[in-house]
Amino acid sequence: RASLSVTHNTANKANLMPEVVVQYLLSQGIRVVQGVSSSELALLALAVGAPVLHSHADVDLEGAVGTAGLVEEITLPWTTQSMVVLRDCHDARSCTLVLRGSAGVSIAEAGRALNDALRVCARAALEERIVPGGGAVEAEIAARLLSLDHSQGYILAAFSHALLALPKMLATNAALD
C-alpha cells in the first residue's frame, strides 16, 4: 500500500511543511507532494477515498486514510515537469488525460473538444433518447417531405433540397464527399 501526504497550494511559504517533517515522512515511506491546487486536491481525495482535512484537529483515523496501490512521480519525456501518478485507487471513478500540442491554442482547442465529447457521453448515458448529428435529422425530414403526395409538391421538393444542403456541406467539410 502506498502512502502520500499532500499540502494545499499557498502563496505563503510559511504554510508549507517544514523540511524536517518532509524528511521524516519520506523516511517512513510516505511520499510528500506540496503546492496542490484546491481542485486537484478534491480530485485526489475522491480517487483515494479520503476526505480533505483542513486541520490536524479534523483527523479521524477511521475515515481519514485513503488507499492507492502505487504512488509514483514521473517526468514525461517531452517536458521537464513532473507529475504524481496514483494507480489502483480505492474508488477509481476518475482518470487523468495528458494533452499534448505544439501551441497553447491547439492544446486549449483539444481540451474543449475532449470536454464536449465527455459531456456527450455523459448525456448519452443518462438520457433514453438520442438525436443524431451530422445532418441526419435534416436528411430524414427531407426524405419524408419528398415521400409526401401533396398538391404543392414543388415547394416541398425545393425545401427538401435546401435541407439536404446541410448534410452535403458537412460531408464536404469533413472530406467525406
Side-chain angles (χ1 to χ4, degrees), residues 149-168:
D149 186 24
H150 198 270
S151 61
Q152 296 180 349
Y154 63 94
I155 295 173
L156 293 177
F159 186 67
S160 297
H161 290 299
L163 282 174
L164 288 175
L166 180 66
K168 287 178 185 175

Side-chain angles (χ1 to χ4, degrees), residues 2 6 9 15 23 34-35 40 44-45 50 52-54 57 77 84 93 99 109 123-124 139 151 157 161-162 173 175:
V6 181
N9 188 17
N15 289 340
Q23 290 302 321
Q34 299 191 79
E40 291 171 332
L44 182 64
V52 175
L53 303 176
H54 299 286
V84 175
R93 294 183 292 162
L99 299 178
E109 183 61 31
R123 177 66 65 184
S151 61
H161 290 299
N173 288 341

